[in-house]
Amino acid sequence: MMARLVFLGRLADLAGGAEREVAPGSLARIMADMGPELAQALAGPRVRLALNGALVAGDGLVLKAGDELAFLPPVSGGSSRSG
Amino acid sequence: MMARLVFLGRLADLAGGAEREVAPGSLARIMADMGPELAQALAGPRVRLALNGALVAGDGLVLKAGDELAFLPPVSGGSSRSG
Amino acid sequence: MVSFLGQVRADSSQQGDDVEALELQHYAPLTLPGMEALARDVLGRWALDGLLIWHRVGEMAPGDPIVLVAAASRHRRDAFAAADFAMDHLKSESWFWKREKRAGQWAWVEPREQDYADLARWGQAGV
Amino acid sequence: MVSFLGQVRADSSQQGDDVEALELQHYAPLTLPGMEALARDVLGRWALDGLLIWHRVGEMAPGDPIVLVAAASRHRRDAFAAADFAMDHLKSESWFWKREKRAGQWAWVEPREQDYADLARWGQAGV
């Protein structure tokens, strides 16, 4: 069984898709298998991580089979609505 | 042509109707022609008068033909609604 | 767009919860100019794209809609403030006489001075 | 009952008024618990008979409804405050990524720090 990565917002554009299946293992190893451009974007200081729906720190993170890790860039600002 | 009296709220119950046609003339004379119970209620300190839609004082008031004089008791309190 | 919809309460303004019907009476020569002046006031205070102030009169049953105020604006804060202000003033500037039916008997509802308290929030006296 | 209906702006969050479409993306494992927690918070702060918090995601056109909050209470003041509070917090506690289409091109909308200003009114920091 694999682990799943989820990319939100502009990170999905960089990753070429909103989700990606990866082999379980350390986040460091998973990032190393990506292209450097995507890995650098995912490691940005304003990108937050959610493991199975809970915000987590990336340092030392290891994904188990069935885990879902989401990469969350800063949310968009401004109002899109009138009221 | 007559003048018209309009009774709001509980004053309409006392007057036996919401409206009454009266001969033009002084308010004092018109009140004198009413029963004492109604006249006393209409002259109460919290009853306000509106002549042709504008609030007026009753002292010395004279109704001309076509005038409409409304007797306005205090408005009802409390909220009748939930929101 | 912020809207406020008020419905006739079952327990209305006095003790108990046995109100069968509510009747509101108004005097149009005073009420309508007052509502129009209120609308002008609201439109002058906030930048609105639209404003609706609607109040029923006559006989109503508990749960019936009785008042509707809606304010549309580019800015949510303006729409909230305008609708809130309009409701506060509609309540106190409108001349409504009210009676309630309980156990088949109609009775007029007496005035209460505390109805003017909400107006203090807006820094002006009730008219 | 106080309700707030928000519609998609034509000029949206950046300059110009040529937005053809808006797309909102969310991450359900974060968004839904956050909305449920917000609803519990609102229900704990005011005595409400009902509360609705609804937000669209996906692609929308200018003028489309995008958010609806409604609060019903015996007390008008509670309904206004609850709807206002819910809107302030829904905006800032929800994780939404937004892109706009102009002249056929989609572009992501950048974050703005000032979106947290509304929360200061309620005496707490944005989560």
Side-chain angles (χ1 to χ4, degrees):
Chain A
M1 193 175 179
M2 304 287 275
R4 182 202 307 266
L5 307 183
V6 176
F7 308 103
L8 277 300
R10 63 169 69 247
L11 296 178
D13 295 346
L14 286 173
E19 296 185 2
R20 182 181 295 191
E21 301 280 317
V22 295
S26 74
L27 178 59
R29 199 269 303 155
I30 292 168
M31 300 276 272
D33 289 347
M34 297 171 172
E37 188 190 9
L38 177 58
Q40 187 172 11
L42 296 180
R46 302 190 65 191
V47 174
R48 302 184 69 179
L49 305 183
L51 178 63
N52 301 322
L55 294 173
V56 295
D59 296 339
L61 193 63
V62 175
L63 299 191
K64 300 187 300 294
D67 277 349
E68 177 171 301
L69 180 68
F71 293 88
L72 314 161
V75 296
S76 301
S79 176
S80 298
R81 56 184 168 255
S82 57
Chain B
M1 193 178 180
M2 304 286 276
R4 182 203 306 267
L5 306 183
V6 177
F7 308 104
L8 278 299
R10 62 170 70 248
L11 297 178
D13 295 346
L14 287 172
E19 296 185 2
R20 184 180 294 192
E21 301 280 316
V22 295
S26 74
L27 179 58
R29 199 269 302 154
I30 292 169
M31 301 276 272
D33 289 347
M34 294 170 174
E37 188 189 10
L38 177 59
Q40 189 172 11
L42 296 179
R46 302 190 66 192
V47 174
R48 301 183 71 177
L49 306 183
L51 179 63
N52 301 324
L55 294 173
V56 295
D59 297 340
L61 194 63
V62 176
L63 298 192
K64 301 186 300 293
D67 277 349
E68 176 169 301
L69 181 68
F71 293 88
L72 313 162
V75 295
S76 301
S79 176
S80 298
R81 55 184 169 255
S82 56
Chain C
M1 189 185 78
V2 171
S3 64
F4 173 82
L5 174 70
Q7 295 167 284
V8 177
R9 278 189 184 159
D11 58 355
S12 201
S13 54
Q14 294 170 337
Q15 266 74 40
D17 54 356
D18 52 354
V19 173
E20 297 158 7
L22 172 75
E23 185 186 346
L24 280 192
Q25 201 179 84
H26 76 139
Y27 180 55
L30 283 179
T31 306
L32 297 185
M35 289 177 73
E36 288 160 4
L38 173 58
R40 282 192 300 273
D41 187 14
V42 174
L43 289 169
R45 284 169 180 256
W46 291 280
L48 301 182
D49 297 325
L51 175 67
L52 171 72
I53 298 176
W54 176 90
H55 206 299
R56 281 182 70 186
V57 291
E59 188 172 331
M60 288 157 267
D64 280 356
I66 180 171
V67 62
L68 177 64
V69 165
S73 172
R74 283 182 57 81
H75 304 291
R76 174 165 56 94
R77 186 86 27 244
D78 287 350
F80 265 101
D84 197 7
F85 178 96
M87 276 302 305
D88 272 355
H89 287 72
L90 180 61
K91 180 179 171 187
S92 295
E93 294 191 4
S94 298
W95 294 73
F96 288 121
W97 295 272
K98 180 163 67 182
R99 56 179 191 166
E100 295 170 348
K101 192 180 189 180
R102 297 164 189 271
Q105 299 291 314
W106 285 104
W108 291 100
V109 177
E110 294 302 316
R112 280 198 329 196
E113 297 306 329
Q114 66 217 68
D115 291 322
Y116 293 85
D118 280 335
L119 285 182
R121 296 200 312 134
W122 302 104
Q124 62 177 65
V127 176
Chain D
M1 189 187 80
V2 171
S3 64
F4 172 82
L5 175 69
Q7 294 167 286
V8 177
R9 279 190 183 158
D11 57 357
S12 201
S13 56
Q14 293 170 336
Q15 267 76 39
D17 55 355
D18 52 355
V19 173
E20 295 158 9
L22 172 75
E23 185 185 348
L24 281 192
Q25 200 179 84
H26 77 140
Y27 180 55
L30 283 178
T31 307
L32 298 184
M35 289 178 74
E36 288 160 4
L38 173 58
R40 283 192 299 272
D41 186 15
V42 173
L43 289 168
R45 284 169 181 256
W46 291 279
L48 302 182
D49 297 325
L51 176 66
L52 171 72
I53 299 176
W54 177 90
H55 205 299
R56 280 181 72 187
V57 291
E59 189 172 331
M60 289 159 267
D64 281 356
I66 179 171
V67 62
L68 177 63
V69 166
S73 172
R74 284 182 56 82
H75 304 291
R76 174 165 56 91
R77 186 88 23 245
D78 287 351
F80 266 101
D84 198 6
F85 178 95
M87 275 303 305
D88 272 356
H89 287 72
L90 179 61
K91 180 179 170 188
S92 294
E93 294 192 2
S94 299
W95 294 73
F96 288 121
W97 295 273
K98 181 163 65 182
R99 56 179 190 166
E100 294 170 349
K101 190 181 190 179
R102 298 163 191 271
Q105 298 292 313
W106 284 103
W108 290 100
V109 177
E110 294 301 316
R112 280 198 329 197
E113 295 306 328
Q114 66 215 68
D115 291 321
Y116 292 83
D118 280 337
L119 285 182
R121 295 199 314 135
W122 302 103
Q124 62 177 67
V127 175

